[in-house]
Amino acid sequence: MPADAIIVRQSNWAWIWSATPWMILMAASVFIDQITFVGLPLILAVVFIVPRYVSVRKTAYILTNEYLVVVKGAFARSQRFDIPISQIWGIQVRPGFFGRSLGYTSVLLTMKDQGVTGLAYVPERSALVDHIQARIDASSPPESESKG
């Protein structure tokens, strides 16, 4: 990675939203029957909640002048996607139902081949959207040249 790369991590809310149903089930199992369900909350935490937390912590959006690198991770493996910024045609920001109040948004990137790539739980105060938009604007020809 270049020294001037900007690393943007997903919002802390990302793992909480995906783990909430499991946390509710875990809490309910503790209150329903503490004798027979003693191990169930621990199993739920280990199997469902911890992997979601680790996945969110290992997910990063890395911005360079030429690429947006998306790294998605889990315990033992990770995936890396290099998206050339020159192939991004448009960018759309969608905060969602809770996003505005909790400070995160979803970012949809429209590619020149008409494909769409989504980036979830991007903190609103990150430089990601402005960085990509500035690169898109810099790479597009001025209107006077495009009409000729």
Side-chain angles (χ1 to χ4, degrees):
M1 280 303 137
D4 62 343
I6 300 168
I7 299 173
V8 176
R9 300 265 180 207
Q10 285 185 320
S11 168
N12 289 328
W13 291 103
W15 80 270
I16 293 172
W17 282 126
S18 64
T20 296
W22 298 107
M23 290 188 289
I24 292 169
L25 183 61
M26 185 176 77
S29 69
V30 168
F31 290 117
I32 291 173
D33 189 356
Q34 294 180 353
I35 297 171
T36 58
F37 287 110
V38 172
L40 184 62
L42 291 174
I43 293 169
L44 289 174
V46 170
V47 173
F48 295 105
I49 298 171
V50 173
R52 282 173 171 70
Y53 177 78
V54 171
S55 174
V56 168
R57 298 298 352 135
K58 287 190 167 189
T59 298
Y61 307 120
I62 303 167
L63 300 161
T64 68
N65 285 331
E66 296 178 17
Y67 288 93
L68 166 63
V69 180
V70 179
V71 179
K72 293 185 176 191
F75 280 113
R77 67 187 199 292
S78 66
Q79 297 175 316
R80 176 183 165 144
F81 305 96
D82 293 2
I83 302 170
I85 292 180
S86 62
Q87 294 302 307
I88 300 172
W89 178 73
I91 187 166
Q92 188 175 26
V93 177
R94 292 192 174 169
F97 190 70
F98 293 108
R100 227 175 241 118
S101 59
L102 298 176
Y104 66 83
T105 189
S106 292
V107 176
L108 298 176
L109 304 173
T110 305
M111 310 307 283
K112 288 185 177 176
D113 65 0
Q114 299 304 313
V116 176
T117 301
L119 309 176
Y121 297 104
V122 177
E124 283 183 336
R125 295 181 182 180
S126 72
L128 189 132
V129 173
D130 293 337
H131 180 87
I132 294 172
Q133 190 63 55
R135 298 308 179 278
I136 291 171
D137 292 344
S139 68
S140 61
E143 285 190 37
S144 61
E145 289 181 20
S146 63
K147 289 181 182 178

